[in-house]
Amino acid sequence: LVSRIIRMAGALLIRGGVCVNEDRAFRADVLCESGKIAAIGENLDVPKGAEVVDATGKYVIPGGIDTHTHMQLPFMGTVAADDFYAGTRAALAGGTTMILDFVIPSKGESLLAAYDKWRAWADEKVCCDYSFHVAVTWWSETVGKEMEVLCKEKGVNSFKLFMAYKDVFMVNDEEMYHAFCKIKELEALAQVHAENGDIIAEKSKEMSELGITGPEGHEMCRPEEVEGEATNRAIVLANQINCPLYVVHVMSRSAADVISAARRKGCVVFGEPIAAGLGVDGTHYWHKCWRHAAAFVMGPPLRPDTSTPEYLMDMLANGDLQLTGTDNCTFNGDQKAMGKDDFRRIPNGVNGVEDRLSVIWEKGVFTGKMDACRFVSVTSTTAAKIFNMYPQKGVVAVGSDADLVIWDGDATRIISSKTHHHVRRLNNYLNNQ
């Protein structure tokens, strides 16, 4: 669906396309110079030496912003297959021109040291613009002081807390409350991975004792209500101090309904469904091929209720959920096989950074659930606004970055691991058209 991604230092004129922003669509030429949009209008003159690209019959949209990736993440005894080069290359191939990745310190590790480490990994490899959220995996006064440095000196404006992955990343309610207080003080944004980690730990033991060791056990120990309960708990805690909250990877009806209800009560909370949750369902965990089933293991899991993706897309289209990421964290088949005898050891993660825009267009716009303006909003503009990048990002406007995608809404392609740009040989959207 993506014809071409434009980001050039010289002059370039995009002729005859339909420019799409979240509030309107209009036919115009777009002149780009030195990486910025210099002019927008009908029948613009071609500057001397400028390249001209014909976008007749296509949309000109702001580049996608993926709010949730994990490139090169050390996790569960291995490292994500997509490093910052392969992952951002795949992003660009799919029309995403910026990613927001996560710095995730180990418990007891300095947040500043972890930030410097992630920057060193990313800076020499990235193909597109990027930024970082920083995870708070433990709490002390020192952590609070480092959060302040990250905000005031490093440009970080969002901090993520895990309510799952017990004894690894998970924080308890008291720690989360203290972190929320600091985030509110810094006028930053709190993010949560919302699952009840204590229940998951106990249910995982139960599954193992019952002899359930395959990928289906992963979903069975993390039922939908476990996500819904944690989502509600996080909103309640954040609301006690009026701390804005962002719920990452909303994967279930229950969690989506909690967010929608809280927003109607006046809570400042944002919900982020991801490409996987919008494009596929959790029935794959019961697939007879173990490698196929394991490829879909992620947390929170995809839901076996086959109506869930459409339900989440409806919520996204009507504004009850606000924007989209991918949780792109890829592991190849051999890495997933670390858990061949115990689902608790299967590295959690799926792909999506390359296919997010295509999946949302197919499941959202093509089906008539949303128009092209809403598509731009949920893939780019809302992210730019929430994370303080607007109007530099997320809009086709004079002065904005020329991170533009020429999008052919009528073209078709078959998603395949043979043609995608990820490192791993698996694709969770295989054979989707």
Side-chain angles (χ1 to χ4, degrees):
L1 295 177
V2 178
S3 295
R4 187 171 185 182
I5 300 165
I6 306 298
R7 181 70 186 272
M8 300 182 65
L12 183 142
L13 182 65
I14 304 174
R15 178 79 81 188
V18 175
C19 300
V20 184
N21 288 326
E22 70 167 359
D23 58 346
R24 68 185 184 119
F26 55 98
R27 190 175 304 281
D29 301 339
V30 181
L31 176 64
C32 307
E33 293 179 339
S34 301
K36 295 285 186 179
I37 297 175
I40 300 174
E42 295 185 13
N43 301 315
L44 293 179
D45 293 333
V46 182
K48 184 178 180 179
E51 179 184 353
V52 178
V53 175
D54 184 9
T56 302
K58 300 178 178 64
Y59 298 109
V60 180
I61 63 175
I65 300 172
D66 191 335
T67 54
H68 190 156
T69 67
H70 296 288
M71 308 304 180
Q72 208 167 319
L73 175 66
F75 188 46
M76 297 183 72
T78 186
V79 177
D82 281 337
D83 65 6
F84 279 96
Y85 170 69
T88 55
R89 177 187 62 178
L92 288 171
T96 288
T97 57
M98 183 169 186
I99 64 166
L100 281 74
D101 208 88
F102 288 84
V103 173
I104 306 182
S106 303
K107 284 189 178 292
E109 182 181 4
S110 161
L111 274 63
L112 290 172
Y115 174 86
D116 289 341
K117 179 170 60 179
W118 253 264
R119 280 292 304 268
W121 290 344
D123 283 348
E124 64 180 14
K125 295 181 179 180
V126 289
C127 303
C128 69
D129 289 339
Y130 82 101
S131 186
F132 280 129
H133 315 288
V134 176
V136 176
T137 57
W138 61 294
W139 181 252
S140 73
E141 291 302 316
T142 299
V143 170
K145 292 176 182 177
E146 291 194 334
M147 291 168 67
E148 188 167 347
V149 173
L150 286 165
C151 277
K152 294 181 177 180
E153 299 180 17
K154 307 295 185 181
V156 172
N157 61 20
S158 47
F159 295 92
K160 179 181 180 180
L161 296 106
F162 288 86
M163 302 172 75
Y165 299 117
K166 189 173 182 178
D167 300 325
V168 182
F169 299 142
M170 177 178 157
V171 295
N172 60 37
D173 287 359
E174 181 182 359
E175 292 172 315
M176 189 158 59
Y177 181 81
H178 286 306
F180 284 171
C181 288
K182 187 65 179 182
I183 292 167
K184 171 67 184 302
E185 176 191 326
L186 294 172
E187 299 183 340
L189 178 64
Q191 297 180 300
V192 288
H193 172 135
E195 291 183 285
N196 189 314
D198 289 318
I199 291 178
I200 292 169
E202 293 304 314
K203 295 289 287 184
S204 295
K205 294 176 186 176
E206 292 178 17
M207 294 298 120
S208 181
E209 290 169 358
L210 290 170
I212 300 172
T213 61
E216 72 278 7
H218 176 78
E219 198 285 329
M220 294 169 71
C221 75
R222 308 167 94 104
E224 183 169 323
E225 56 263 38
V226 170
E227 183 186 358
E229 181 277 329
T231 301
N232 184 69
R233 180 158 40 100
I235 292 171
V236 169
L237 286 170
N239 199 45
Q240 303 313 298
I241 48 175
N242 294 320
C243 178
L245 185 67
Y246 181 110
V247 182
V248 304
H249 48 40
V250 178
M251 300 298 289
S252 67
R253 288 171 172 260
S254 299
D257 288 344
V258 167
I259 292 167
S260 176
R263 286 174 62 85
R264 280 166 170 73
K265 293 177 182 178
C267 297
V268 181
V269 55
F270 306 102
E272 172 207 84
I274 63 171
L278 296 166
V280 293
D281 60 59
T283 56
H284 292 278
Y285 297 129
W286 281 265
H287 197 280
K288 292 182 179 180
C289 172
W290 188 95
R291 279 184 174 249
H292 176 101
F296 291 83
V297 168
M298 64 171 299
L302 298 159
R303 300 303 172 187
D305 179 349
T306 56
S307 69
T308 298
E310 184 174 4
Y311 188 84
L312 294 177
M313 183 60 78
D314 287 341
M315 299 278 275
L316 181 66
N318 68 26
D320 284 327
L321 299 173
Q322 286 65 55
L323 71 170
T324 58
T326 60
D327 198 10
N328 190 98
C329 186
T330 61
F331 298 98
N332 61 41
D334 289 343
Q335 289 174 301
K336 291 279 188 176
M338 293 169 61
K340 63 182 178 62
D341 298 317
D342 185 347
F343 68 84
R344 293 172 295 183
R345 297 184 60 196
I346 301 173
N348 289 198
V350 296
N351 66 285
V353 72
E354 182 170 349
D355 298 313
R356 178 179 64 116
L357 270 65
S358 295
V359 168
I360 295 170
W361 185 271
E362 173 70 18
K363 305 294 184 180
V365 181
F366 184 75
T367 59
K369 294 180 183 295
M370 66 175 72
D371 63 10
C373 291
R374 181 61 181 166
F375 171 77
V376 165
S377 177
V378 302
T379 59
S380 182
T381 309
T382 301
K385 290 181 175 181
I386 289 176
F387 295 105
N388 296 326
M389 297 178 288
Y390 186 89
Q392 182 178 348
K393 305 286 187 186
V395 62
V396 182
V398 173
S400 297
D401 285 356
D403 299 347
L404 301 175
V405 175
I406 299 175
W407 188 267
D408 187 342
D410 295 322
T412 60
R413 70 183 180 95
I414 303 296
I415 295 176
S416 170
S417 58
K418 295 180 179 179
T419 56
H420 72 198
H421 295 78
H422 296 282
V423 170
R424 77 172 190 170
R425 296 185 296 276
L426 307 168
N427 192 300
N428 295 102
Y429 314 96
L430 192 65
N431 296 325
N432 271 270
Q433 178 171 312

PDB file of all heavy atoms in Angstrom, residues 311-337:
ATOM      1  N   TYR A 311     -14.049  -5.602  17.562  1.00  0.00           N
ATOM      2  CA  TYR A 311     -14.536  -4.776  18.669  1.00  0.00           C
ATOM      3  C   TYR A 311     -13.543  -3.658  18.979  1.00  0.00           C
ATOM      4  O   TYR A 311     -13.924  -2.491  19.146  1.00  0.00           O
ATOM      5  CB  TYR A 311     -14.753  -5.653  19.903  1.00  0.00           C
ATOM      6  CG  TYR A 311     -15.440  -4.957  21.058  1.00  0.00           C
ATOM      7  CD1 TYR A 311     -16.834  -4.873  21.107  1.00  0.00           C
ATOM      8  CD2 TYR A 311     -14.710  -4.404  22.101  1.00  0.00           C
ATOM      9  CE1 TYR A 311     -17.473  -4.252  22.168  1.00  0.00           C
ATOM     10  CE2 TYR A 311     -15.343  -3.775  23.164  1.00  0.00           C
ATOM     11  CZ  TYR A 311     -16.725  -3.705  23.194  1.00  0.00           C
ATOM     12  OH  TYR A 311     -17.355  -3.082  24.239  1.00  0.00           O
ATOM     13  N   LEU A 312     -12.270  -4.007  19.055  1.00  0.00           N
ATOM     14  CA  LEU A 312     -11.239  -3.001  19.327  1.00  0.00           C
ATOM     15  C   LEU A 312     -11.156  -1.993  18.187  1.00  0.00           C
ATOM     16  O   LEU A 312     -10.951  -0.788  18.424  1.00  0.00           O
ATOM     17  CB  LEU A 312      -9.892  -3.678  19.542  1.00  0.00           C
ATOM     18  CG  LEU A 312      -9.762  -4.560  20.789  1.00  0.00           C
ATOM     19  CD1 LEU A 312      -8.385  -5.229  20.827  1.00  0.00           C
ATOM     20  CD2 LEU A 312      -9.999  -3.765  22.062  1.00  0.00           C
ATOM     21  N   MET A 313     -11.317  -2.457  16.947  1.00  0.00           N
ATOM     22  CA  MET A 313     -11.293  -1.533  15.815  1.00  0.00           C
ATOM     23  C   MET A 313     -12.479  -0.573  15.882  1.00  0.00           C
ATOM     24  O   MET A 313     -12.342   0.626  15.576  1.00  0.00           O
ATOM     25  CB  MET A 313     -11.293  -2.295  14.498  1.00  0.00           C
ATOM     26  CG  MET A 313     -11.183  -1.400  13.266  1.00  0.00           C
ATOM     27  SD  MET A 313      -9.670  -0.407  13.207  1.00  0.00           S
ATOM     28  CE  MET A 313      -8.490  -1.652  12.654  1.00  0.00           C
ATOM     29  N   ASP A 314     -13.635  -1.062  16.270  1.00  0.00           N
ATOM     30  CA  ASP A 314     -14.792  -0.184  16.442  1.00  0.00           C
ATOM     31  C   ASP A 314     -14.498   0.884  17.493  1.00  0.00           C
ATOM     32  O   ASP A 314     -14.824   2.067  17.308  1.00  0.00           O
ATOM     33  CB  ASP A 314     -16.024  -0.989  16.854  1.00  0.00           C
ATOM     34  CG  ASP A 314     -16.612  -1.823  15.717  1.00  0.00           C
ATOM     35  OD1 ASP A 314     -16.313  -1.519  14.547  1.00  0.00           O
ATOM     36  OD2 ASP A 314     -17.362  -2.772  16.011  1.00  0.00           O
ATOM     37  N   MET A 315     -13.898   0.471  18.601  1.00  0.00           N
ATOM     38  CA  MET A 315     -13.561   1.412  19.677  1.00  0.00           C
ATOM     39  C   MET A 315     -12.543   2.445  19.202  1.00  0.00           C
ATOM     40  O   MET A 315     -12.615   3.624  19.559  1.00  0.00           O
ATOM     41  CB  MET A 315     -13.010   0.651  20.883  1.00  0.00           C
ATOM     42  CG  MET A 315     -13.965  -0.342  21.499  1.00  0.00           C
ATOM     43  SD  MET A 315     -15.138   0.421  22.620  1.00  0.00           S
ATOM     44  CE  MET A 315     -14.203   0.477  24.135  1.00  0.00           C
ATOM     45  N   LEU A 316     -11.596   2.005  18.395  1.00  0.00           N
ATOM     46  CA  LEU A 316     -10.593   2.921  17.842  1.00  0.00           C
ATOM     47  C   LEU A 316     -11.232   3.895  16.866  1.00  0.00           C
ATOM     48  O   LEU A 316     -10.928   5.095  16.864  1.00  0.00           O
ATOM     49  CB  LEU A 316      -9.493   2.115  17.146  1.00  0.00           C
ATOM     50  CG  LEU A 316      -8.347   2.894  16.516  1.00  0.00           C
ATOM     51  CD1 LEU A 316      -7.511   3.599  17.581  1.00  0.00           C
ATOM     52  CD2 LEU A 316      -7.461   1.962  15.684  1.00  0.00           C
ATOM     53  N   ALA A 317     -12.129   3.400  16.049  1.00  0.00           N
ATOM     54  CA  ALA A 317     -12.764   4.240  15.030  1.00  0.00           C
ATOM     55  C   ALA A 317     -13.639   5.316  15.652  1.00  0.00           C
ATOM     56  O   ALA A 317     -13.678   6.457  15.169  1.00  0.00           O
ATOM     57  CB  ALA A 317     -13.588   3.362  14.079  1.00  0.00           C
ATOM     58  N   ASN A 318     -14.328   4.969  16.751  1.00  0.00           N
ATOM     59  CA  ASN A 318     -15.272   5.947  17.314  1.00  0.00           C
ATOM     60  C   ASN A 318     -14.660   6.828  18.398  1.00  0.00           C
ATOM     61  O   ASN A 318     -15.346   7.691  18.967  1.00  0.00           O
ATOM     62  CB  ASN A 318     -16.535   5.247  17.842  1.00  0.00           C
ATOM     63  CG  ASN A 318     -16.279   4.375  19.069  1.00  0.00           C
ATOM     64  OD1 ASN A 318     -15.350   4.594  19.832  1.00  0.00           O
ATOM     65  ND2 ASN A 318     -17.127   3.371  19.264  1.00  0.00           N
ATOM     66  N   GLY A 319     -13.377   6.623  18.700  1.00  0.00           N
ATOM     67  CA  GLY A 319     -12.688   7.495  19.636  1.00  0.00           C
ATOM     68  C   GLY A 319     -12.608   6.997  21.066  1.00  0.00           C
ATOM     69  O   GLY A 319     -12.009   7.658  21.923  1.00  0.00           O
ATOM     70  N   ASP A 320     -13.198   5.838  21.364  1.00  0.00           N
ATOM     71  CA  ASP A 320     -13.069   5.290  22.721  1.00  0.00           C
ATOM     72  C   ASP A 320     -11.644   4.822  23.003  1.00  0.00           C
ATOM     73  O   ASP A 320     -11.209   4.793  24.157  1.00  0.00           O
ATOM     74  CB  ASP A 320     -14.034   4.119  22.910  1.00  0.00           C
ATOM     75  CG  ASP A 320     -15.469   4.590  23.094  1.00  0.00           C
ATOM     76  OD1 ASP A 320     -15.656   5.673  23.685  1.00  0.00           O
ATOM     77  OD2 ASP A 320     -16.392   3.899  22.636  1.00  0.00           O
ATOM     78  N   LEU A 321     -10.913   4.416  21.971  1.00  0.00           N
ATOM     79  CA  LEU A 321      -9.470   4.187  22.028  1.00  0.00           C
ATOM     80  C   LEU A 321      -8.832   5.209  21.102  1.00  0.00           C
ATOM     81  O   LEU A 321      -9.440   5.617  20.105  1.00  0.00           O
ATOM     82  CB  LEU A 321      -9.119   2.757  21.626  1.00  0.00           C
ATOM     83  CG  LEU A 321      -9.709   1.655  22.517  1.00  0.00           C
ATOM     84  CD1 LEU A 321      -9.436   0.278  21.924  1.00  0.00           C
ATOM     85  CD2 LEU A 321      -9.153   1.742  23.942  1.00  0.00           C
ATOM     86  N   GLN A 322      -7.602   5.615  21.398  1.00  0.00           N
ATOM     87  CA  GLN A 322      -7.128   6.857  20.810  1.00  0.00           C
ATOM     88  C   GLN A 322      -6.077   6.734  19.715  1.00  0.00           C
ATOM     89  O   GLN A 322      -6.028   7.553  18.804  1.00  0.00           O
ATOM     90  CB  GLN A 322      -6.573   7.768  21.928  1.00  0.00           C
ATOM     91  CG  GLN A 322      -7.640   8.387  22.784  1.00  0.00           C
ATOM     92  CD  GLN A 322      -8.431   7.377  23.596  1.00  0.00           C
ATOM     93  OE1 GLN A 322      -7.862   6.590  24.336  1.00  0.00           O
ATOM     94  NE2 GLN A 322      -9.750   7.386  23.418  1.00  0.00           N
ATOM     95  N   LEU A 323      -5.213   5.748  19.781  1.00  0.00           N
ATOM     96  CA  LEU A 323      -4.096   5.687  18.842  1.00  0.00           C
ATOM     97  C   LEU A 323      -3.514   4.281  18.835  1.00  0.00           C
ATOM     98  O   LEU A 323      -3.933   3.440  19.631  1.00  0.00           O
ATOM     99  CB  LEU A 323      -3.009   6.705  19.206  1.00  0.00           C
ATOM    100  CG  LEU A 323      -2.154   6.455  20.465  1.00  0.00           C
ATOM    101  CD1 LEU A 323      -0.975   7.431  20.503  1.00  0.00           C
ATOM    102  CD2 LEU A 323      -2.936   6.582  21.756  1.00  0.00           C
ATOM    103  N   THR A 324      -2.537   4.031  17.965  1.00  0.00           N
ATOM    104  CA  THR A 324      -2.049   2.668  17.787  1.00  0.00           C
ATOM    105  C   THR A 324      -0.525   2.579  17.844  1.00  0.00           C
ATOM    106  O   THR A 324       0.181   3.476  17.405  1.00  0.00           O
ATOM    107  CB  THR A 324      -2.504   2.102  16.431  1.00  0.00           C
ATOM    108  OG1 THR A 324      -2.017   2.953  15.384  1.00  0.00           O
ATOM    109  CG2 THR A 324      -4.012   2.033  16.352  1.00  0.00           C
ATOM    110  N   GLY A 325      -0.056   1.461  18.379  1.00  0.00           N
ATOM    111  CA  GLY A 325       1.353   1.082  18.320  1.00  0.00           C
ATOM    112  C   GLY A 325       1.440  -0.334  17.804  1.00  0.00           C
ATOM    113  O   GLY A 325       0.512  -0.831  17.141  1.00  0.00           O
ATOM    114  N   THR A 326       2.545  -1.016  18.117  1.00  0.00           N
ATOM    115  CA  THR A 326       2.680  -2.407  17.667  1.00  0.00           C
ATOM    116  C   THR A 326       3.225  -3.354  18.736  1.00  0.00           C
ATOM    117  O   THR A 326       3.020  -4.551  18.647  1.00  0.00           O
ATOM    118  CB  THR A 326       3.628  -2.515  16.448  1.00  0.00           C
ATOM    119  OG1 THR A 326       4.920  -2.019  16.807  1.00  0.00           O
ATOM    120  CG2 THR A 326       3.077  -1.744  15.262  1.00  0.00           C
ATOM    121  N   ASP A 327       3.942  -2.833  19.725  1.00  0.00           N
ATOM    122  CA  ASP A 327       4.677  -3.701  20.650  1.00  0.00           C
ATOM    123  C   ASP A 327       5.617  -4.606  19.864  1.00  0.00           C
ATOM    124  O   ASP A 327       5.832  -5.769  20.225  1.00  0.00           O
ATOM    125  CB  ASP A 327       3.716  -4.529  21.501  1.00  0.00           C
ATOM    126  CG  ASP A 327       4.369  -5.097  22.756  1.00  0.00           C
ATOM    127  OD1 ASP A 327       5.511  -4.697  23.075  1.00  0.00           O
ATOM    128  OD2 ASP A 327       3.747  -5.963  23.418  1.00  0.00           O
ATOM    129  N   ASN A 328       6.190  -4.080  18.775  1.00  0.00           N
ATOM    130  CA  ASN A 328       7.084  -4.868  17.929  1.00  0.00           C
ATOM    131  C   ASN A 328       8.281  -5.359  18.747  1.00  0.00           C
ATOM    132  O   ASN A 328       9.109  -4.577  19.216  1.00  0.00           O
ATOM    133  CB  ASN A 328       7.579  -4.013  16.762  1.00  0.00           C
ATOM    134  CG  ASN A 328       8.312  -4.818  15.710  1.00  0.00           C
ATOM    135  OD1 ASN A 328       7.728  -5.194  14.705  1.00  0.00           O
ATOM    136  ND2 ASN A 328       9.600  -5.077  15.917  1.00  0.00           N
ATOM    137  N   CYS A 329       8.345  -6.655  18.953  1.00  0.00           N
ATOM    138  CA  CYS A 329       9.430  -7.279  19.717  1.00  0.00           C
ATOM    139  C   CYS A 329       9.586  -8.689  19.160  1.00  0.00           C
ATOM    140  O   CYS A 329       8.916  -9.619  19.596  1.00  0.00           O
ATOM    141  CB  CYS A 329       9.091  -7.300  21.203  1.00  0.00           C
ATOM    142  SG  CYS A 329      10.437  -7.879  22.277  1.00  0.00           S
ATOM    143  N   THR A 330      10.437  -8.827  18.171  1.00  0.00           N
ATOM    144  CA  THR A 330      10.452 -10.061  17.391  1.00  0.00           C
ATOM    145  C   THR A 330      11.480 -11.063  17.904  1.00  0.00           C
ATOM    146  O   THR A 330      12.585 -10.699  18.303  1.00  0.00           O
ATOM    147  CB  THR A 330      10.751  -9.767  15.915  1.00  0.00           C
ATOM    148  OG1 THR A 330      12.035  -9.160  15.811  1.00  0.00           O
ATOM    149  CG2 THR A 330       9.707  -8.829  15.327  1.00  0.00           C
ATOM    150  N   PHE A 331      11.092 -12.321  17.857  1.00  0.00           N
ATOM    151  CA  PHE A 331      11.992 -13.433  18.169  1.00  0.00           C
ATOM    152  C   PHE A 331      11.804 -14.496  17.096  1.00  0.00           C
ATOM    153  O   PHE A 331      10.677 -14.760  16.658  1.00  0.00           O
ATOM    154  CB  PHE A 331      11.689 -14.014  19.555  1.00  0.00           C
ATOM    155  CG  PHE A 331      11.891 -13.038  20.677  1.00  0.00           C
ATOM    156  CD1 PHE A 331      10.807 -12.343  21.204  1.00  0.00           C
ATOM    157  CD2 PHE A 331      13.152 -12.783  21.182  1.00  0.00           C
ATOM    158  CE1 PHE A 331      10.976 -11.424  22.231  1.00  0.00           C
ATOM    159  CE2 PHE A 331      13.340 -11.861  22.208  1.00  0.00           C
ATOM    160  CZ  PHE A 331      12.254 -11.176  22.727  1.00  0.00           C
ATOM    161  N   ASN A 332      12.894 -15.096  16.661  1.00  0.00           N
ATOM    162  CA  ASN A 332      12.782 -16.116  15.622  1.00  0.00           C
ATOM    163  C   ASN A 332      12.337 -17.454  16.220  1.00  0.00           C
ATOM    164  O   ASN A 332      12.210 -17.592  17.448  1.00  0.00           O
ATOM    165  CB  ASN A 332      14.089 -16.242  14.837  1.00  0.00           C
ATOM    166  CG  ASN A 332      15.264 -16.645  15.699  1.00  0.00           C
ATOM    167  OD1 ASN A 332      15.134 -17.498  16.579  1.00  0.00           O
ATOM    168  ND2 ASN A 332      16.437 -16.046  15.462  1.00  0.00           N
ATOM    169  N   GLY A 333      12.134 -18.431  15.358  1.00  0.00           N
ATOM    170  CA  GLY A 333      11.608 -19.712  15.809  1.00  0.00           C
ATOM    171  C   GLY A 333      12.483 -20.417  16.816  1.00  0.00           C
ATOM    172  O   GLY A 333      11.986 -21.022  17.783  1.00  0.00           O
ATOM    173  N   ASP A 334      13.794 -20.346  16.629  1.00  0.00           N
ATOM    174  CA  ASP A 334      14.696 -21.002  17.569  1.00  0.00           C
ATOM    175  C   ASP A 334      14.665 -20.323  18.927  1.00  0.00           C
ATOM    176  O   ASP A 334      14.776 -20.986  19.967  1.00  0.00           O
ATOM    177  CB  ASP A 334      16.120 -20.991  17.011  1.00  0.00           C
ATOM    178  CG  ASP A 334      16.292 -21.932  15.827  1.00  0.00           C
ATOM    179  OD1 ASP A 334      15.428 -22.817  15.645  1.00  0.00           O
ATOM    180  OD2 ASP A 334      17.272 -21.768  15.077  1.00  0.00           O
ATOM    181  N   GLN A 335      14.522 -18.995  18.926  1.00  0.00           N
ATOM    182  CA  GLN A 335      14.412 -18.294  20.204  1.00  0.00           C
ATOM    183  C   GLN A 335      13.110 -18.663  20.908  1.00  0.00           C
ATOM    184  O   GLN A 335      13.101 -18.922  22.117  1.00  0.00           O
ATOM    185  CB  GLN A 335      14.478 -16.779  19.982  1.00  0.00           C
ATOM    186  CG  GLN A 335      15.853 -16.258  19.583  1.00  0.00           C
ATOM    187  CD  GLN A 335      15.823 -14.780  19.234  1.00  0.00           C
ATOM    188  OE1 GLN A 335      15.100 -14.371  18.329  1.00  0.00           O
ATOM    189  NE2 GLN A 335      16.597 -13.984  19.953  1.00  0.00           N
ATOM    190  N   LYS A 336      12.018 -18.695  20.170  1.00  0.00           N
ATOM    191  CA  LYS A 336      10.742 -19.094  20.764  1.00  0.00           C
ATOM    192  C   LYS A 336      10.811 -20.515  21.325  1.00  0.00           C
ATOM    193  O   LYS A 336      10.160 -20.841  22.326  1.00  0.00           O
ATOM    194  CB  LYS A 336       9.627 -19.016  19.709  1.00  0.00           C
ATOM    195  CG  LYS A 336       9.260 -17.603  19.270  1.00  0.00           C
ATOM    196  CD  LYS A 336       8.321 -16.932  20.244  1.00  0.00           C
ATOM    197  CE  LYS A 336       7.796 -15.610  19.724  1.00  0.00           C
ATOM    198  NZ  LYS A 336       6.805 -14.974  20.626  1.00  0.00           N
ATOM    199  N   ALA A 337      11.641 -21.365  20.674  1.00  0.00           N
ATOM    200  CA  ALA A 337      11.757 -22.770  21.091  1.00  0.00           C
ATOM    201  C   ALA A 337      12.427 -22.939  22.443  1.00  0.00           C
ATOM    202  O   ALA A 337      12.467 -24.059  22.980  1.00  0.00           O
ATOM    203  CB  ALA A 337      12.504 -23.574  20.028  1.00  0.00           C
TER     204      ALA A 337
END
